[in-house]
Amino acid sequence: MSTILDAPVAPAPAPEPARTYLVKTLGCQMNVHDSEHMAGMLEQAGYVPASPQDAAAEAADVIVINTCAVRENAADKLYGNLGRLAGTKRTRPGMQIAVGGCLAQKDRAGIVERAPWVDVVFGTHNLDVLPVLLERARHNERAEVEIAESLQVFPSTLPTRRESVYAGWVSISVGCNNTCTFCIVPHLRGKERDRRPGEILAEISALVDQGAIEVTLLGQNVNSYGVEFGDRAAFAKLLRAAGAIEGLERLRFTSPHPAAFTDDVIEAMAETPTVMPQLHMPLQSGSDRVLRAMRRSYRAEKFLGILDRVRAQLPDAAITTDIIVGFPGETEEDFAETMRVVEASRFASAFTFQYSPRPGTPAADLPDQLPKAVVQERYERLHALQQQISLEENQAQVGRAVEVLVAESEGRKDGETARLTGRAADNRLVHFAVPQGADAPRPGDLVRVQVTHAAPHHLVADGAAPVVRRTRAGDAWEKRQAADGHEHGASGDACGTGGPAGVVSLGLPGTRR
């Protein structure tokens, strides 16, 4: 007679496969870094990145869209993405869509009203709630919207899935204390909050220990760093301290504000070898009258004086900028002043934008909004001038030897031209050839090449074979490729972003065409 001990034991149910995720980024470098935190939190909660193939097909269990509210077509981009995903979701049971970032902070529940298939909406101040909201939405079978009015958790304390192992972002502050009339960022990101220097230096050291050789310090106005704890010299001190971290080879920062840009920062840049000869200095307008209407607390001559002092100590610095064309009330004389300042500044490149009203900003209610045709015509003149200057500045690089940090994928035609791509010390984009049969450098390695010709937005080095310096950053990239299951020598992902499949960047600021 059989006993209960003899009864067959039912096999344990197979565990459910881990849910996959994809984070899509619209907007600035701050958004890109926030997306890295979102990916890190999802992985900590048990999600896994979608494969490159599934990422390209938007076939993930959870898709997060990290939005921008600054660019002219930010809402169009979001709802275009959501409209496309609605069809995908109908054919994929259990799929969830989450919307975060600046537009989520601004529009709140209006996103669900306009796109009822969205499951989660969260803001810029509470990134940490994403996994909880996703689970709550699954359980309750309804959309969850949670927008905090002030910063709940400093983003840099959150788990992070870095896009790159050889270069990384480090936030030194969040928020902004300026009141520029065209900008909605202070309303969406809040007042400036500064991290303590020790925390920042510890994060940089940790990145370096993991293989990074380049770090970019991030803030809405990086050079106002220290305002919260009352040290006006804090940013210059931070540059020197970060630049001295052993193993760090390249240090960058973005973006400073001309009004608070002081000579001690220029001296720190010049005297710290690891700080790269690159500066992004937003002009916005060359007209003092327009700058006053924008509440930009500097004037054109002060701006040009900063550039003169930077170039006196860093002669090879590549300086870039932001410019808005067609601000309300801008006259032809005002625009001529912008053209004059641009010509005098000799920017390596410029992110140029046609003004468009942002609801919630003071400028949206100003009189004398310009006709679209006028703004377009001025924009085209400015674009043509800057294109010519960019070309001339890049042509001056021909014949020079430059050191390039090899990137995973920054050149859209690299496959067709058998070139690799990277950034020079001054952040210029360089496409370089590797002779047939030569060992190709890995992303994260440094190569020395000679520039053979130039275009407005890139340099080309097709001459002698590059001199390759293999780095521990390249070792770290190779190690992660192996861990992620890629074959040795593969690079990038299906979307061409160069990051892991779980994080996709859509539309970093660029020169508007």
Side-chain angles (χ1 to χ4, degrees), residues 81-363:
N81 273 275
L82 291 179
R84 188 177 62 254
L85 290 173
T88 306
K89 188 174 182 180
R90 282 193 293 269
T91 64
R92 191 178 178 91
M95 177 181 172
Q96 290 182 291
I97 301 170
V99 178
C102 289
L103 200 64
Q105 185 77 24
K106 175 178 170 289
D107 289 355
R108 306 183 178 222
I111 292 173
V112 175
E113 291 169 9
R114 186 167 168 181
W117 55 92
V118 170
D119 299 277
V120 167
V121 178
F122 61 107
T124 58
H125 297 310
N126 57 336
L127 305 182
D128 57 306
V129 302
L130 172 59
V132 172
L133 292 181
L134 287 167
E135 192 56 39
R136 194 186 299 166
R138 285 182 72 190
H139 181 270
N140 296 337
E141 298 184 343
R142 69 174 186 227
E144 295 290 335
V145 178
E146 188 169 309
I147 307 292
E149 297 301 329
S150 59
L151 194 67
Q152 304 299 298
V153 177
F154 208 103
S156 293
T157 64
L158 299 173
T160 307
R161 162 72 168 182
R162 301 275 179 179
E163 278 199 53
S164 166
V165 292
Y166 53 85
W169 313 99
V170 173
S171 291
I172 67 172
S173 63
V174 295
C176 179
N177 292 339
N178 290 315
T179 58
C180 302
T181 56
F182 57 81
C183 185
I184 200 168
V185 167
H187 174 67
L188 301 178
R189 293 274 183 179
K191 291 290 186 182
E192 181 172 327
R193 295 278 303 276
D194 294 333
R195 296 177 70 193
R196 301 302 299 186
E199 296 174 6
I200 297 167
L201 297 174
E203 184 176 352
I204 296 172
S205 295
L207 275 174
V208 171
D209 288 345
Q210 292 160 18
I213 59 173
E214 177 177 293
V215 164
T216 301
L217 305 179
L218 288 181
Q220 300 300 150
N221 293 304
V222 287
N223 56 312
S224 65
Y225 173 75
V227 65
E228 193 175 17
F229 47 85
D231 185 355
R232 290 181 177 273
F235 185 60
K237 295 175 185 174
L238 181 65
L239 285 180
R240 293 180 187 274
I245 291 175
E246 187 175 355
L248 182 66
E249 300 200 28
R250 293 183 168 195
L251 181 64
R252 306 185 190 276
F253 59 88
T254 194
S255 290
H257 193 294
F261 200 79
T262 50
D263 287 349
D264 62 332
V265 173
I266 300 173
E267 291 163 7
M269 293 174 67
E271 295 169 6
T272 310
T274 45
V275 177
M276 295 293 95
Q278 171 219 349
L279 180 64
H280 186 75
M281 183 64 71
L283 170 64
Q284 306 302 3
S285 174
S287 162
D288 289 351
R289 195 186 68 81
V290 173
L291 287 171
R292 197 175 295 113
M294 289 178 167
R295 292 188 199 154
R296 299 284 288 180
S297 48
Y298 56 88
R299 300 296 174 256
E301 292 312 307
K302 176 174 180 175
F303 184 92
L304 290 170
I306 291 171
L307 304 196
D308 288 343
R309 294 195 299 279
V310 169
R311 286 175 170 139
Q313 297 203 48
L314 294 155
D316 295 328
I319 300 175
T320 57
T321 198
D322 299 328
I323 304 171
I324 296 172
V325 177
F327 189 79
E330 180 189 77
T331 64
E332 182 60 32
E333 290 74 20
D334 293 323
F335 180 68
E337 281 296 288
T338 294
M339 296 285 275
R340 177 187 71 84
V341 175
V342 167
E343 196 153 11
S345 297
R346 306 297 298 176
F347 296 118
S349 65
F351 299 118
T352 52
F353 305 95
Q354 297 185 31
Y355 173 79
S356 59
R358 290 289 176 275
T361 63

